[in-house]
Amino acid sequence: MTAASISDHKSAKLGLSVEEASEIAGIGRSKLYEAMRDGLLQARKFGRRTIILRDDLERFLTALPKAA
């Protein structure tokens, strides 16, 4: 695999860890956990791992109110 195909593969990931979702969204981990707890951001569990689907993260961010 070339460096370009590795980065393409990584950006194509469907499931994100909370840390990855935090980095992509520019929102802190604790705020993402708060949004999950409040039912604003859907997450899934696989064993002990919390997974946020890329589509769910995008839906969450799109639903945030626009800045004044």
Side-chain angles (χ1 to χ4, degrees):
M1 256 189 204
T2 66
S5 64
I6 291 171
S7 64
D8 290 344
H9 175 70
K10 187 173 182 178
S11 67
K13 283 175 61 170
L14 298 176
L16 306 167
S17 68
V18 175
E19 290 78 16
E20 291 169 327
S22 173
E23 186 178 315
I24 289 170
I27 297 174
R29 287 175 5 133
S30 47
K31 286 295 186 182
L32 287 181
Y33 279 114
E34 187 178 309
M36 287 183 264
R37 184 195 66 220
D38 294 344
L40 301 172
L41 174 60
Q42 193 171 49
R44 286 146 174 85
K45 292 293 280 187
F46 185 73
R48 295 177 62 189
R49 187 173 169 106
T50 301
I51 299 170
I52 300 170
L53 296 181
R54 193 173 281 276
D55 288 344
D56 290 333
L57 180 61
E58 188 173 333
R59 201 171 299 116
F60 165 72
L61 292 173
T62 303
L64 292 174
K66 293 185 179 184

